[in-house]
Amino acid sequence: RYAASSRASFTTASGKNSPSHICPDPSAHSSDRSRTSLRIPPHAAHKVCSPADAVSLVSRKDTICVSGFVAQGSPDLLLKALADRYEQEYREGVTDGVGDLTLVFGGGPGDWLDRGLNYLARIPNERGDDEQTGGEGSGEDDETIESAPKPMIRRAIGSHYGQVPLLGSLVVDGIISGWTLPMGSISRMIRAQATHAPGHITTVGLGTYVDPTPGVGNGGAANDLALQSPLHSQLVTKLSIGYGPEGDKMKTDYLMYKALPIHVAIIRATTADSSGNLSFEHESLLCDQRIMATAARNSGGVVLAQVKRLCSVGSLPSRQVGIPGAMVDCVVVVDEEDHDEYHPMSYTSRHDPVLSGEIKTPVEDVPKMPLNERKIIARRASMALKPGKVVNLGIGLPEGVASVAGEEDQLDFVTLTTEPGSFGGLPASGRSFGPSANADALVEMNEQFDFYDGGGLDMCFLGAAQVSAKGDVNVSRMSPDRLTGPGGFIDISQSTRNICFLCTFTAKGLDIAFDGKAGNISIVQDGRIKKFVNEVYERTFSGDEAVRRGQKVFYVTERAVFRRTAVHDVLELVEIAPGIDLQRDVLDQMEFVPVISDDLGVMDRRLFKYDKMNIELFGSLRDRVKWHPDGHRIFIDLFGISLATEAEVDWFVRSLDDILQPITKERGAVACVVNYDGFDLRTGLEEKYGEALEKVEQKHYRSVKRYSGKAFRLAKLREKANVQRWDADASFSEFDQNGDGIVTPEELRRGIRKTFGIKLKQAELDSLCRTDITRQNFNDIILECLRTCG
């Protein structure tokens, strides 16, 4: 394969011959044959070739992976060339040509019609007219159907099929075998192959339909062909890892997603030189092109790269090269006149330098949503936003949270992220989902999922198509004839401590009315489809698993708010909208009966009014100063405070002095810890601020330490924990609730949260509970927790 890609003669995408400088024919030097070299000179060993030449390196039964995410960054010219090759070979009667391919993709690119991965779902037509796409029976007899042409894809392992309906229909109709797996796991499966690791090992997927445990899930199989495939039993396997004998309680369950050899990586970049060095300056996302290339290269496969322009060798700065030429076999350059068709930034935009991060544009107001059920849901969900938090917004209803946050002036104080790798800025919405306008940073998709799966997100807002009595959620598949897939939903929902699911209470025909002045809502007509059902069609999120992981889960609708906790094994109704009848509008529209909270609240009337809600995100300065009398220490949180004028500096210093005066008057100078993360002081005010603050320090402080972010929270936690005076013996009985002399993992989780306000992640809990927690080692376990967790 590799030798075949180093061609002496090559063509551009348009098929025109390019200059070829090859050593002279040896026969021309017959007088001195020994001096003739048959080696191609380095300057002629270019990797630029035509699309047809590039895809000629794809062999029968290869496993291929393709870069791109939803509408972003599809290598369409190469995909179309591969489809054209298959069609031509079929018409010519080639029996050993390309075919029986395995396709691996995450957020595989598509335009919801026939481009992107949809090219690979085409079925050739003997007449040479429009291609068949499969999916509909034609009434032909069995013999005709058996001999009918087949697609080049034999099996598809992907995460999201919504934008590739032609490929999805092949799976739904049982023409090819198909699996739907978490996007982050597919991303790391590819990365695992690059290092020849056996697979990606994670807790993501446990308790969902991806879990291969009998009675829980089906290992991600999307049809019967997949279930019957020899690959199925190997693709997702359950492991028990830990200390002690098999079945010991210290063992932890994991899923391993098998790494598959990648024979062909079809990727896209912006610029290449003729040695194959690639850069990505016009791409809106980094869709794992580098790890795909590494996996293919280390599997003995080939890397085919599509770019929009070619530069001379050595002209790309080394720091700008995203993939070195040593990892690339073929480069296909899309002609300028074909950029709109085969190399736009996305299917929704030819090129947007704001989304590619080349420039930042002045921030415009986020369009305000009209007052309807979608805005009510987004408003209620946005009330959970906290300053300084890192957040993921799902597609659909959750996008409204960004709109409401913008309207309420909250966007500058939270960091919004997307699973393909953007940090900060405003995520693009609808079919443009993936990149962010004015992003602060862009990382590779596999790196973003590392951050997510490790608990980096503080909260997430996700959609829900169905919700069960136990709090299970389905977004991946609604019926046998409709295939979507989970995308990044499972990775995000199982790794984030605070989860908010958003959905309307019913669907298909819902009509509501408001009293926009009084703040009431009424149901004119309910939808035909109930969202709260006894059992979901496919379990993409497990309520029981969330309880085991210690997650905080809420379900927000336009008329009611629910939560799932360890206290009840069904959903608990905690809020109801003003004007809503509990029986008629809530309970009668559910297939199960929830627990009704003893403290059932009324949703804030501001949610249903036309006016801005004016949510107080930060509170008062007094709320930000916390005094701990035991250590005579204060903690001052300045996150989000911006001082832009001398008058504001005077206000700040005067207010701080007023707060500290009664404390230091009674107890004397105080030790101070200050969080300066997110604090902003306008240029030119530094001297005035410094002088004024120095007077406060001399008057009230015996010492001062300044931190930012997590360091401040840890300093505050240590004071709250008061570990020097920790009475382990007295506290053991409070943790050991069943009195058996051993603190179970769940008892430790509850006790740590109640005593110290720390919400332990499952991995942290597993680490602390390596052995039984008794009265003898209890103090050491608590100290370890305070040092390493939180």
Side-chain angles (χ1 to χ4, degrees):
R1 291 167 183 264
Y2 185 74
S5 69
S6 299
R7 302 171 184 273
S9 180
F10 57 89
T11 58
T12 64
S14 61
K16 300 174 183 177
N17 288 325
S18 297
S20 178
H21 304 288
I22 308 178
C23 286
D25 188 338
S27 63
H29 300 274
S30 56
S31 60
D32 191 0
R33 296 286 294 271
S34 63
R35 298 177 57 187
T36 301
S37 172
L38 299 181
R39 191 170 68 89
I40 299 175
H43 68 270
H46 295 317
K47 298 181 180 181
V48 180
C49 64
S50 70
D53 282 347
V55 300
S56 70
L57 299 179
V58 182
S59 300
R60 194 170 194 83
K61 295 187 178 181
D62 273 352
T63 296
I64 66 174
C65 64
V66 181
S67 68
F69 179 86
V70 191
Q72 310 290 325
S74 178
D76 271 9
L77 189 61
L78 283 170
L79 295 177
K80 182 178 182 300
L82 184 57
D84 290 344
R85 174 194 168 188
Y86 180 67
E87 182 181 340
Q88 181 180 354
E89 289 179 344
Y90 172 79
R91 290 173 180 165
E92 293 175 354
V94 177
T95 57
D96 59 349
V98 67
D100 286 341
L101 301 178
T102 296
L103 174 63
V104 179
F105 64 96
D111 67 344
W112 292 267
L113 291 172
D114 54 8
R115 297 162 73 185
L117 295 184
N118 292 298
Y119 281 120
L120 306 186
R122 297 191 327 195
I123 298 178
N125 187 322
E126 291 188 75
R127 296 188 303 272
D129 51 14
D130 293 339
E131 294 86 354
Q132 304 173 48
T133 56
E136 296 293 337
S138 59
E140 300 164 304
D141 58 37
D142 291 341
E143 182 178 353
T144 303
I145 293 175
E146 183 65 28
S147 61
K150 299 179 180 179
M152 74 177 79
I153 302 298
R154 178 165 64 102
R155 54 191 179 194
I157 304 168
S159 180
H160 200 274
Y161 290 76
Q163 67 278 10
V164 286
L166 301 187
L167 185 65
S169 69
L170 295 179
V171 176
V172 168
D173 296 331
I175 298 174
I176 67 174
S177 54
W179 290 262
T180 59
L181 303 180
M183 188 180 298
S185 295
I186 290 181
S187 182
R188 267 79 60 82
M189 283 169 61
I190 297 170
R191 191 174 70 186
Q193 178 58 30
T195 62
H196 298 297
H200 172 57
I201 299 175
T202 176
T203 61
V204 169
L206 288 172
T208 73
Y209 77 92
V210 180
D211 192 328
T213 305
V216 178
N218 60 7
N223 60 13
D224 289 340
L225 278 181
L227 287 171
Q228 298 162 10
S229 168
L231 174 64
H232 180 66
S233 61
Q234 308 170 35
L235 191 59
V236 183
T237 53
K238 194 168 185 178
L239 308 176
S240 184
I241 302 175
Y243 301 91
E246 189 68 29
D248 188 88
K249 65 180 179 179
M250 303 317 298
K251 296 269 188 180
T252 300
D253 289 335
Y254 295 89
L255 297 183
M256 186 177 80
Y257 298 82
K258 179 179 174 60
L260 301 174
I262 303 298
H263 304 116
V264 182
I266 300 177
I267 63 176
R268 197 180 104 158
T270 300
T271 307
D273 62 23
S274 54
S275 292
N277 295 304
L278 306 178
S279 64
F280 298 88
E281 61 272 17
H282 287 178
E283 306 304 308
S284 61
L285 294 169
L286 300 177
C287 302
D288 284 348
Q289 294 98 321
R290 183 176 57 83
I291 63 167
M292 289 181 182
T294 308
R297 176 73 175 177
N298 291 352
S299 299
V302 294
V303 179
L304 315 180
Q306 174 182 312
V307 299
K308 64 190 293 187
R309 58 191 186 186
L310 189 68
C311 67
S312 61
V313 175
S315 62
L316 286 176
S318 59
R319 286 185 176 272
Q320 191 176 326
V321 173
I323 298 178
M327 295 167 60
V328 178
D329 297 287
C330 294
V331 174
V332 172
V333 185
V334 181
D335 293 331
E336 173 68 29
E337 60 267 26
D338 293 330
H339 282 183
D340 286 352
E341 184 174 1
Y342 297 121
H343 203 104
M345 172 180 280
S346 71
Y347 295 124
T348 60
S349 175
R350 186 179 194 273
H351 181 65
D352 187 341
V354 177
L355 293 182
S356 63
E358 298 166 80
I359 63 172
K360 287 196 175 184
T361 185
V363 179
E364 300 178 356
D365 291 336
V366 180
K368 294 182 180 179
M369 302 172 66
L371 186 61
N372 54 24
E373 64 273 16
R374 297 176 70 88
K375 184 168 187 175
I376 292 171
I377 295 169
R379 276 181 161 181
R380 178 60 187 88
S382 69
M383 296 178 78
L385 289 173
K386 302 295 181 184
K389 300 302 183 182
V390 181
V391 180
N392 174 275
L393 299 181
I395 196 169
L397 269 177
E399 295 172 355
V401 174
S403 176
V404 170
E407 184 180 344
E408 298 292 332
D409 302 318
Q410 297 175 319
L411 275 182
D412 290 340
F413 307 106
V414 295
T415 300
L416 302 181
T417 67
T418 64
E419 49 267 42
S422 71
F423 272 86
L426 182 65
S429 60
R431 294 191 170 185
S432 297
F433 177 75
S436 294
N438 295 341
D440 297 323
L442 181 65
V443 300
E444 293 186 25
M445 185 161 68
N446 66 97
E447 296 170 333
Q448 185 75 301
F449 279 111
D450 286 343
F451 177 73
Y452 282 2
D453 289 3
L457 284 173
D458 294 303
M459 58 183 63
C460 63
F461 299 87
L462 304 172
Q466 291 178 318
V467 180
S468 77
K470 290 186 175 183
D472 300 340
V473 174
N474 175 26
V475 298
S476 51
R477 192 167 190 176
M478 298 302 297
S479 65
D481 60 352
R482 183 181 173 188
L483 180 63
T484 303
F489 182 97
I490 299 178
D491 301 89
I492 296 166
S493 64
Q494 288 200 323
S495 305
T496 308
R497 290 181 178 179
N498 300 288
I499 310 169
C500 186
F501 291 112
L502 287 67
C503 67
T504 56
F505 211 82
T506 60
K508 301 293 184 182
L510 174 64
D511 185 14
I512 61 177
F514 308 94
D515 182 341
K517 293 184 178 180
N520 290 326
I521 180 177
S522 60
I523 308 300
V524 178
Q525 177 179 304
D526 253 309
R528 301 186 302 276
I529 298 177
K530 295 180 179 180
K531 292 290 193 77
F532 290 83
V533 296
N534 288 319
E535 294 290 342
V536 296
Y537 182 80
E538 186 166 84
R539 189 187 302 117
T540 331
F541 173 84
S542 168
D544 287 343
E545 181 68 16
V547 169
R548 188 187 72 84
R549 293 172 183 255
Q551 294 172 290
K552 185 178 180 181
V553 189
F554 284 88
Y555 307 78
V556 175
T557 75
E558 78 285 352
R559 69 186 78 171
V561 178
F562 301 86
R563 68 182 176 190
R564 174 67 206 278
T565 68
V567 178
H568 307 288
D569 59 2
V570 297
L571 291 186
E572 179 185 7
L573 176 64
V574 294
E575 289 183 20
I576 189 172
I580 290 296
D581 183 87
L582 174 60
Q583 185 65 46
R584 181 190 67 235
D585 298 328
V586 177
L587 300 181
D588 288 351
Q589 305 306 320
M590 305 174 69
E591 292 185 359
F592 60 89
V593 179
V595 172
I596 300 176
S597 174
D598 294 335
D599 300 317
L600 181 63
V602 177
M603 295 170 71
D604 196 317
R605 289 185 181 272
R606 292 178 295 174
L607 301 173
F608 311 96
K609 292 184 177 182
Y610 296 117
D611 299 332
K612 180 179 175 180
M613 291 194 296
N614 293 313
I615 296 175
E616 183 58 67
L617 188 64
F618 295 103
S620 67
L621 183 60
R622 189 174 297 276
D623 294 334
R624 291 161 167 270
V625 179
K626 303 296 183 183
W627 177 49
H628 292 264
D630 289 347
H632 193 41
R633 187 185 304 271
I634 63 168
F635 292 85
I636 305 175
D637 187 358
L638 300 183
F639 182 90
I641 292 180
S642 178
L643 304 180
T645 66
E646 291 188 1
E648 290 179 353
V649 172
D650 291 337
W651 161 82
F652 173 78
V653 174
R654 186 172 58 252
S655 299
L656 188 58
D657 181 69
D658 291 343
I659 296 170
L660 296 173
Q661 183 68 33
I663 298 174
T664 57
K665 183 178 180 179
E666 179 183 350
R667 296 281 299 271
V670 67
C672 180
V673 179
V674 187
N675 176 30
Y676 272 98
D677 189 32
F679 174 78
D680 182 49
L681 182 67
R682 187 67 55 85
T683 302
L685 295 176
E686 295 89 349
E687 185 175 352
K688 179 176 178 60
Y689 177 78
E691 291 176 353
L693 199 61
E694 185 177 359
K695 294 178 181 179
V696 172
E697 292 179 5
Q698 292 174 351
K699 183 177 179 181
H700 299 291
Y701 298 167
R702 73 169 185 264
S703 65
V704 61
K705 294 181 180 180
R706 297 174 176 88
Y707 295 104
S708 65
K710 187 175 182 179
F712 173 77
R713 294 195 296 273
L714 290 176
K716 187 176 179 181
L717 172 64
R718 291 189 186 99
E719 181 65 24
K720 182 178 179 180
N722 206 4
V723 295
Q724 297 301 323
R725 288 180 292 278
W726 168 257
D727 188 342
D729 192 63
S731 299
F732 181 83
S733 298
E734 297 178 9
F735 278 66
D736 182 22
Q737 294 182 346
N738 62 8
D740 64 354
I742 296 176
V743 174
T744 67
E746 188 57 37
E747 287 174 338
L748 181 66
R749 185 202 300 276
R750 287 196 296 265
I752 291 293
R753 182 171 181 177
K754 178 181 178 181
T755 307
F756 303 114
I758 300 176
K759 301 176 183 177
L760 292 176
K761 304 173 189 175
Q762 186 61 42
E764 293 170 338
L765 191 66
D766 294 341
S767 176
L768 294 170
C769 298
R770 294 187 297 269
T771 60
D772 287 342
I773 302 176
T774 64
R775 194 176 295 273
Q776 285 70 36
N777 64 359
F778 179 64
N779 185 59
D780 293 337
I781 296 294
I782 295 299
L783 291 177
E784 180 183 352
C785 173
L786 296 177
R787 283 193 303 267
T788 61
C789 305

